Amino acid sequence: MEENFRDSIGTINEEGKRAWVFPKKPSGRYYEYRKWVSYGLLIFLFASPFFKINGNQFLMFNVLERRFNIFGFPFWPQDFHLFVISMIIGVIFIALFTVAFGRIFCGWMCPQTIFMEMVFRRIEYWIDGDRGAQIRLDKQSWNAEKIRKRLLKWFVFFVISFLIANVFLAYLIGSDRLIQYVSDGPLAHMSTLVSLLIFTAVFYFVFAWFREQVCIIACPYGRMQGVLLDNKSIVVAYDHKRGEGENGRKKFRKNEDRQALGHGDCIDCFQCVNVCPTGIDIRNGTQLECVNCTACIDECDTIMEKINLPKGLIRYASEDNIEKKAKFTFTPRLKGYAAVLTILIGVFIGMLFLRNDLEANILRLPGQLYEHKEGNIISNVYTYKLINKTSRNIDNVSFKLLSHKGQINLVSFDSFQVPAQELAEGTLFIEINNSALSGDKDKLKIGVYSGDDLIETTSARFLAPRSYN
Ligand code: SF4
Ligand code: SF4
């Protein structure tokens, strides 16, 4: 077997320049399944920022204002621990899947693959034709046909990149604001328009030019494959035992008894290589470039059908399955990942349900000491911050001292409203008779009420002069 594929990546030629990949248009069982999966995911991706649950955007990642919605649940920076746990769950989930099923995520679910293979590449086939036509068009001089096709392709690619950029922005700033900006007209929000055009340019660059390089060079998940995969991981694999036989692969000849000659089932037709969007030869074994897109499985199955041999020369299989005919087993490594994942999901769900609707923070005003008032009363001044994490307004909000006898006075009103998903802040004074204090730094327990209902408790320190204790 030639080993030179290990020295370089499939998309760089000997001079170190980009070797442009012109993959054959895939067709077959898996490609059909993948199309349906991609339709579902594209609808999910495009609809999520515009779909609302209880008035909350389904998915939103407003980094600038630090507001996040995940599956309709609003998250605040104060919920960062939940966000971190959900990210860790995501990573372990993908790692678990990778150990068991290789890069199944890359081939079936990754937005890069979905957009590249199921949107941009299909437009390219529609405009430029299949592999042969694309190669001819590329070599051909700039005549009217090439100019027309190129301009059409670049224009359609730009429009789709612009659409993706808009959806991306809806995730970032919220769909309501995006729609508002669109109806105000682009000139009313120049800075947003500039950001939108920058996003468009990035998407255009990625899908029109950078393409499979994202998976090969840029994606950190792709680089992790070497550590995550083992002999038991199920990946898109060439059955080299069957394909090579005793005397290696050989071109197909009618009426030749390949078995008697000791040749394997691979007829060296190169169709699996031609169809590969990352330009590799899967017959060399599992490679970093392979995104498990299944195109080579479909292509080889078609060939096997044509020459009346069983399908599955390239298939989903582990190294052990090919070498020892071993079936899939739930290895200790998989069990370990699954256990950690189950525990984390349990913790996450628990924390989600224990999360308060209202987050209250009461802090003493920095640099302020206590004030001694008439009647042996000590007064401290505080700032309060209340975050309403729900999608309904919380009315009639007031504070009461739960741990000590005393009074809480708001600066301008007795009670107030915390609007849905908003922050309310202000200043308050706490006054306690010194005889009710037990030290110079008492810990107070304060109740936050909506009408007569206690909705949250919080604590704060109360300073008092030492001589009074
Ligand atoms: S498509 Fe199948 S038969 Fe043809 S070269 Fe690839 S593995 Fe061999
Ligand atoms: S080797 Fe096969 S599965 Fe891997 S990227 Fe190429 S075509 Fe897709």
Side-chain angles (χ1 to χ4, degrees):
M1 191 190 285
E2 281 188 24
E3 293 282 316
N4 58 357
F5 73 93
R6 294 191 198 282
D7 308 334
S8 61
I9 53 174
T11 49
I12 306 284
N13 65 19
E14 280 171 9
E15 288 103 51
K17 293 204 176 112
R18 171 88 176 269
W20 195 264
V21 185
F22 296 97
K24 183 174 183 283
K25 188 176 177 186
S27 63
R29 185 166 55 119
Y30 283 112
Y31 190 57
E32 286 307 308
Y33 295 152
R34 282 177 58 221
K35 268 192 208 165
W36 286 107
V37 172
S38 73
Y39 297 148
L41 288 174
L42 284 170
I43 291 171
F44 179 81
L45 224 74
F46 277 87
S48 290
F50 299 95
F51 177 65
K52 289 186 175 173
I53 293 180
N54 292 333
N56 296 328
Q57 187 168 318
F58 189 63
L59 285 179
M60 183 172 79
F61 306 95
N62 190 337
V63 186
L64 298 176
E65 290 172 12
R66 293 181 294 161
R67 289 169 63 170
F68 306 91
N69 287 357
I70 298 176
F71 302 132
F73 287 102
F75 286 81
W76 291 79
Q78 285 76 4
D79 298 317
F80 192 67
H81 56 291
L82 288 176
F83 197 68
V84 170
I85 291 181
S86 65
M87 288 295 135
I88 296 173
I89 288 175
V91 170
I92 295 183
F93 187 72
I94 291 177
L96 177 75
F97 254 78
T98 312
V99 172
F101 303 111
R103 288 175 82 168
I104 197 159
F105 171 82
C106 303
W108 291 79
M109 296 185 77
C110 175
Q112 164 70 21
T113 314
I114 300 281
F115 278 115
M116 186 65 246
E117 301 306 323
M118 295 297 168
V119 179
F120 288 87
R121 191 88 73 189
R122 287 175 74 186
I123 291 165
E124 199 160 66
Y125 291 131
W126 169 61
I127 295 173
D128 291 353
D130 208 343
R131 175 180 157 83
Q134 284 185 21
I135 295 173
R136 277 196 299 281
L137 191 71
D138 186 58
K139 286 194 180 136
Q140 162 178 328
S141 58
W142 283 92
N143 59 9
E145 186 206 10
K146 185 163 174 172
I147 292 172
R148 181 178 59 77
K149 285 188 170 173
R150 284 287 184 265
L151 286 179
L152 177 63
K153 189 167 86 174
W154 294 339
F155 174 71
V156 178
F157 277 12
F158 179 81
V159 170
I160 295 174
S161 302
F162 185 71
L163 268 179
I164 300 173
N166 271 277
V167 174
F168 186 65
L169 206 61
Y171 277 104
L172 281 186
I173 62 170
S175 53
D176 288 345
R177 199 180 296 176
L178 178 75
I179 293 167
Q180 178 65 45
Y181 285 4
V182 172
S183 52
D184 290 350
L187 297 180
H189 304 279
M190 274 312 275
S191 58
T192 312
L193 181 69
V194 171
S195 320
L196 195 63
L197 290 175
I198 292 172
F199 290 146
T200 306
V202 170
F203 288 125
Y204 184 88
F205 168 77
V206 166
F207 295 116
W209 192 80
F210 203 51
R211 303 191 153 196
E212 72 288 336
Q213 303 297 307
V214 172
C215 315
I216 299 174
I217 300 171
C219 175
Y221 177 59
R223 321 292 302 182
M224 273 164 44
Q225 300 308 307
V227 252
L228 290 172
L229 298 182
D230 62 19
N231 283 358
K232 292 179 180 64
S233 308
I234 294 175
V235 290
V236 172
Y238 167 67
D239 186 340
H240 57 92
K241 289 218 142 184
R242 185 186 142 194
E244 303 298 312
E246 273 171 27
N247 296 325
R249 58 186 84 143
K250 185 175 179 278
K251 294 275 179 215
F252 180 71
R253 277 217 197 103
K254 246 187 172 178
N255 303 326
E256 187 178 60
D257 189 348
R258 298 175 69 89
Q259 256 185 342
L261 292 169
H263 290 298
D265 285 354
C266 175
I267 60 167
D268 213 11
C269 64
F270 270 89
Q271 292 309 305
C272 53
V273 182
N274 291 342
V275 82
C276 178
T278 60
I280 57 164
D281 187 342
I282 190 68
R283 295 172 301 169
N284 291 327
T286 303
Q287 291 149 77
L288 172 95
E289 293 96 324
C290 176
V291 291
N292 277 223
C293 75
T294 70
C296 54
I297 300 186
D298 280 336
E299 204 57 29
C300 190
D301 279 352
T302 312
I303 301 293
M304 291 295 117
E305 241 175 1
K306 279 187 189 153
I307 58 170
N308 261 332
L309 285 174
K311 291 184 195 172
L313 179 57
I314 301 177
R315 62 176 186 273
Y316 275 121
S318 66
E319 185 59 26
D320 281 0
N321 175 257
I322 290 170
E323 285 283 348
K324 309 174 198 161
K325 299 266 173 281
K327 290 233 157 61
F328 175 74
T329 48
F330 210 52
T331 58
R333 180 146 82 130
L334 277 180
K335 283 179 193 161
Y337 278 127
V340 174
L341 190 65
T342 315
I343 293 168
L344 277 176
I345 291 175
V347 170
F348 182 71
I349 292 174
M351 287 175 125
L352 209 59
F353 281 102
L354 289 175
R355 197 175 75 127
N356 291 334
D357 286 350
L358 186 99
E359 175 110 16
N361 276 306
I362 298 181
L363 294 171
R364 275 195 341 96
L365 204 63
Q368 292 283 325
L369 254 182
Y370 53 85
E371 197 184 329
H372 191 196
K373 293 174 113 179
E374 243 177 70
N376 209 15
I377 300 289
I378 309 293
S379 169
N380 278 208
V381 60
Y382 297 82
T383 56
Y384 65 85
K385 272 187 186 174
L386 301 180
I387 298 170
N388 180 357
K389 296 176 184 173
T390 69
S391 51
R392 58 186 162 76
N393 299 335
I394 301 179
D395 293 314
N396 238 343
V397 176
S398 60
F399 300 98
K400 277 181 199 154
L401 258 182
L402 301 177
S403 55
H404 292 67
K405 236 179 153 194
Q407 263 210 329
I408 298 183
N409 299 322
L410 291 170
V411 168
S412 44
F413 28 64
D414 292 335
S415 68
F416 55 95
Q417 183 196 65
V418 190
Q421 292 199 49
E422 294 284 341
L423 170 90
E425 51 189 334
T427 310
L428 57 82
F429 292 91
I430 300 182
E431 295 179 350
I432 301 175
N433 193 303
N434 184 50
S435 58
L437 295 168
S438 54
D440 60 345
K441 268 187 203 161
D442 273 24
K443 189 177 175 189
L444 308 180
K445 191 174 171 197
I446 300 160
V448 184
Y449 285 79
S450 168
D452 290 332
D453 299 332
L454 178 69
I455 49 172
E456 172 67 324
T457 54
T458 185
S459 58
R461 286 275 165 207
F462 190 86
L463 294 191
R466 271 181 199 202
S467 53
Y468 284 87
N469 300 316

